[in-house]
Amino acid sequence: MKSICLILSLILFSIHFSLTHAAGGKWQLLQQSVGISAMHMQLLRNDRVIMFDRTDFGKSNLALPNGECVRNDCTAHSAEYDVKTNTVRALTLLSDVWCSSGAVAPNGRLIQTGGNGAGDRRVRVFEPCTGCDWKEFANALGARRWYATDHILPNGQQIIIGGRRQFNYEFYPKTGSSSKVYSLPFLVQTNDAGEENNLYPFVFLNVDGNLFIFANNRAILFDYAKNKVVKTYPQIPGGDPRCYPSTGSAVLLPLKNLAAPSVEAEVLVCGGAPKGSFVKANQGTFVEALNTCARIKINNPKPQWVMETMPQARVMGDMLLLPDGTVLLINGASSGAAGWEIGRNPVLNPVVYRPDNAIGSRFEQQNPTTIPRMYHSTAILLRDGRVLVGGSNPHEKYEFTDVLFPTELRLEAFSPDYLDAKYNNLRPQIVAPISQAKINYGKKLSIQFSVKGNLATQSVSVSMVAPSFNTHSFSMNQRLLVLEAENVKKVGTTAYQVQVTTPASGNLAPSGYYLLYVVHQKIPSAAIWVQIL
């Protein structure tokens, strides 16, 4: 039966592939096997990517160093990928990180929280340094965190929200005034019996310091310090769920006009699966995914969702902010739901969403991959502007044969069209400051850069992008701020200088490391790392 299903899947796959219209972007296979399935990914300030799956998948294809073993398993379930050298180093996990969460602290350390079983109350810390490995802290969380969401706050703490059978939130690191677990009734209200549909809630720090929390099909603006709902938003039109396992995705659109008295904040939610899809898929009926996006201005006095239609239905897709201010939709399927063996019809074409275009002209389909990226796929932005894509394992163990979608160990890079060689004369190259520069809030910052061709001074801006923790179709802590050019001047034959004002506060940009790009005529430079303090 498995073989018959596999043949039918390949036929459908080839039909879908041949009929797909493509527009732009290029794919590159980086690694035939990184040894593990990249279920979670995070880029760190040393241009290395931490990836991991789960410790009870069975033996991986990556050995632990020096003959080490953990509970009779001598293979790794976490790896460090070096972007520059395209190499992989095995890392050691002591507890199960399956379906966990995380964020990068202001000092650059990856703070990773929760997981399954004995790992569900653990905190793991990874320092971005040569030869470093995970450090684990047992019972560091006040509640079990499995399918929770994390976000860095303006004070540098991390808030951890929800998780399976957890209708509450807590902070890390603990302080005398934030050592408890706090109730969040909104997570009870959004919990569908038999499906949940409110796991991995979409969480964004609003410009006023409150949190926008979207779960299932609706959202609140939440004052986490006072444990108070500030605003309740309308239900998304149609009422269909967008969170796990009816997994859509979401982004806070680029923040602009940062010096304005009121900075506009807008959230975009795309894809997902109709209510009941999870139950039906487990019974063998794979409902078509949602083909809509919903967009809302969260600080509007009377906020309303505005609906749009995507080129294709998509469930388990990822949404990434690109340095040119566009949004990339990538990975996923067009029917079924998130879970073991219940996604069908892979969506191979990424889509670029242009938020500043008029409705009806915002979506642009891209060239397809040849690798289905189903349940447990990941995607993150790299410093050079490429998107790293990995993972896909819709099985309870590693399965490589006689299944519809084999466990995927390959690692790819998707290069958006802005990286095409035809734009090389427009592409800026940052000269100063050097990478790892420290910057302060609300200060003037001069950036020197070069451009080979003619510079259009009115088409220069600077993007600051927070590197995100990506898992289960949501990029936690993802954020892009557009710093407007205040003065662009020529300082050499092909050298220029642009002055910008850094974000005014941690409400706009929580302290920590960001990728800083110069963008010229919508063509971004490679980024430098900056740390805002």
Side-chain angles (χ1 to χ4, degrees):
M1 178 61 73
K2 278 189 174 182
S3 297
I4 294 172
C5 291
L6 179 60
I7 292 168
L8 289 173
S9 176
L10 290 172
I11 292 171
L12 291 171
F13 175 87
S14 62
I15 292 171
H16 177 91
F17 183 84
S18 63
L19 294 179
T20 302
H21 173 71
K26 295 178 180 177
W27 288 90
Q28 177 188 10
L29 181 65
L30 299 174
Q31 287 272 354
Q32 186 65 33
S33 172
V34 292
I36 67 169
S37 187
M39 187 192 300
H40 315 72
M41 285 206 295
Q42 172 75 60
L43 175 68
L44 299 180
R45 60 178 169 84
N46 57 359
D47 289 327
R48 297 181 183 182
V49 177
I50 304 303
M51 54 184 69
F52 48 94
D53 49 26
R54 54 184 283 205
T55 58
D56 59 352
F57 256 160
K59 292 183 178 181
S60 76
N61 287 14
L62 181 65
L64 286 169
N66 305 317
E68 296 174 7
C69 301
V70 179
R71 290 184 298 277
N72 298 318
D73 186 352
C74 304
T75 64
H77 293 277
S78 179
E80 179 189 66
Y81 173 71
D82 188 322
V83 176
K84 183 178 180 180
T85 62
N86 190 30
T87 55
V88 175
R89 180 172 69 94
L91 301 175
T92 304
L93 286 167
L94 303 177
S95 59
D96 196 4
V97 289
W98 179 26
C99 302
S100 54
S101 49
V104 175
N107 60 14
R109 295 188 182 102
L110 171 57
I111 310 296
Q112 196 277 317
T113 54
N116 187 40
D120 58 12
R121 291 184 60 190
R122 291 211 174 195
V123 169
R124 304 165 196 87
V125 178
F126 191 91
E127 179 83 33
C129 53
T130 302
C132 288
D133 210 331
W134 289 102
K135 295 180 180 178
E136 300 200 14
F137 302 90
N139 299 316
L141 299 176
R144 296 175 173 177
R145 299 294 171 191
W146 195 30
Y147 299 87
T149 296
D150 295 11
H151 204 298
I152 293 292
L153 300 173
N155 67 359
Q157 274 188 303
Q158 193 162 316
I159 190 169
I160 307 144
I161 299 174
R164 181 148 284 173
R165 295 179 290 277
Q166 296 295 339
F167 310 110
N168 50 56
Y169 65 97
E170 63 182 292
F171 302 94
Y172 186 86
K174 306 296 182 186
T175 67
S177 61
S178 65
S179 60
K180 301 177 182 178
V181 172
Y182 302 86
S183 175
L184 185 54
F186 174 68
L187 294 178
V188 178
Q189 298 158 12
T190 54
N191 184 45
D192 287 341
E195 290 190 66
E196 295 175 286
N197 285 328
N198 66 349
L199 300 177
Y200 282 125
F202 306 145
V203 179
F204 303 106
L205 177 68
N206 192 15
V207 296
D208 63 2
N210 294 313
L211 291 175
F212 176 89
I213 304 176
F214 182 100
N216 196 320
N217 56 13
R218 51 198 184 276
I220 56 172
L221 189 62
F222 186 64
D223 183 336
Y224 58 86
K226 296 180 180 178
N227 193 17
K228 179 182 178 182
V229 175
V230 176
K231 182 185 293 187
T232 300
Y233 296 93
Q235 184 183 97
I236 207 164
D240 284 315
R242 308 285 178 148
C243 293
Y244 182 91
S246 292
T247 303
S249 191
V251 292
L252 175 69
L253 290 174
L255 298 173
K256 303 178 180 180
N257 303 315
L258 303 184
S262 178
V263 177
E264 185 173 273
E266 197 166 4
V267 169
L268 176 71
V269 179
C270 290
K275 191 170 184 177
S277 293
F278 178 75
V279 171
K280 290 177 181 176
N282 277 294
Q283 295 170 347
T285 300
F286 304 100
V287 178
E288 184 178 13
L290 299 171
N291 68 348
T292 55
C293 293
R295 187 166 160 173
I296 190 167
K297 296 180 178 179
I298 65 177
N299 291 326
N300 192 299
K302 295 182 179 179
Q304 296 294 324
W305 293 99
V306 177
M307 302 301 292
E308 301 178 65
T309 302
M310 299 187 290
Q312 287 175 289
R314 193 181 300 254
V315 63
M316 298 181 287
D318 289 283
M319 293 173 67
L320 297 180
L321 297 169
L322 298 180
D324 64 348
T326 60
V327 182
L328 182 71
L329 287 74
I330 197 166
N331 297 339
S334 62
S335 58
W340 305 133
E341 320 290 348
I342 57 172
R344 294 292 186 275
N345 303 319
V347 180
L348 303 174
N349 295 75
V351 169
V352 168
Y353 176 85
R354 304 187 184 280
D356 296 335
N357 285 9
I359 289 182
S361 61
R362 290 175 176 164
F363 295 96
E364 185 180 279
Q365 203 165 46
Q366 304 295 292
N367 281 317
T369 180
T370 58
I371 303 174
R373 299 289 183 177
M374 305 294 281
Y375 185 42
H376 291 149
S377 297
T378 45
I380 58 169
L381 176 68
L382 298 177
R383 187 167 63 87
D384 60 15
R386 293 178 300 161
V387 172
L388 189 69
V389 180
S392 186
N393 188 18
H395 318 293
E396 205 164 351
K397 302 291 182 182
Y398 290 111
E399 297 281 357
F400 299 105
T401 58
D402 294 328
V403 288
L404 286 175
F405 304 107
T407 299
E408 194 53 69
L409 306 183
R410 285 176 288 181
L411 195 66
E412 293 176 287
F414 175 73
S415 294
D417 200 44
Y418 56 60
L419 289 174
D420 196 287
K422 66 186 177 184
Y423 298 121
N424 282 352
N425 279 348
L426 299 177
R427 194 178 321 283
Q429 181 178 345
I430 298 175
V431 177
I434 61 172
S435 200
Q436 309 294 332
K438 298 184 187 301
I439 61 176
N440 300 115
Y441 288 106
K443 302 295 183 182
K444 300 296 182 184
L445 175 66
S446 292
I447 303 164
Q448 293 183 21
F449 63 97
S450 62
V451 172
K452 292 179 181 178
N454 294 324
L455 185 81
T457 57
Q458 300 304 311
S459 297
V460 175
S461 63
V462 174
S463 295
M464 280 178 57
V465 185
S468 53
F469 181 93
N470 177 268
T471 190
H472 289 76
S473 301
F474 184 57
S475 292
M476 303 176 195
N477 212 46
Q478 185 173 212
R479 197 173 195 84
L480 188 154
L481 301 100
V482 178
L483 310 184
E484 293 187 16
E486 298 165 13
N487 184 23
V488 180
K489 61 182 181 181
K490 193 168 187 176
V491 294
T493 305
T494 60
Y496 302 88
Q497 181 175 287
V498 58
Q499 182 176 278
V500 297
T501 300
T502 59
S505 73
N507 287 351
L508 290 174
S511 179
Y513 285 87
Y514 289 76
L515 295 163
L516 184 141
Y517 299 85
V518 173
V519 183
H520 173 230
Q521 295 191 54
K522 300 183 180 180
I523 306 302
S525 66
I528 61 169
W529 286 101
V530 297
Q531 184 186 23
I532 192 165
L533 300 167

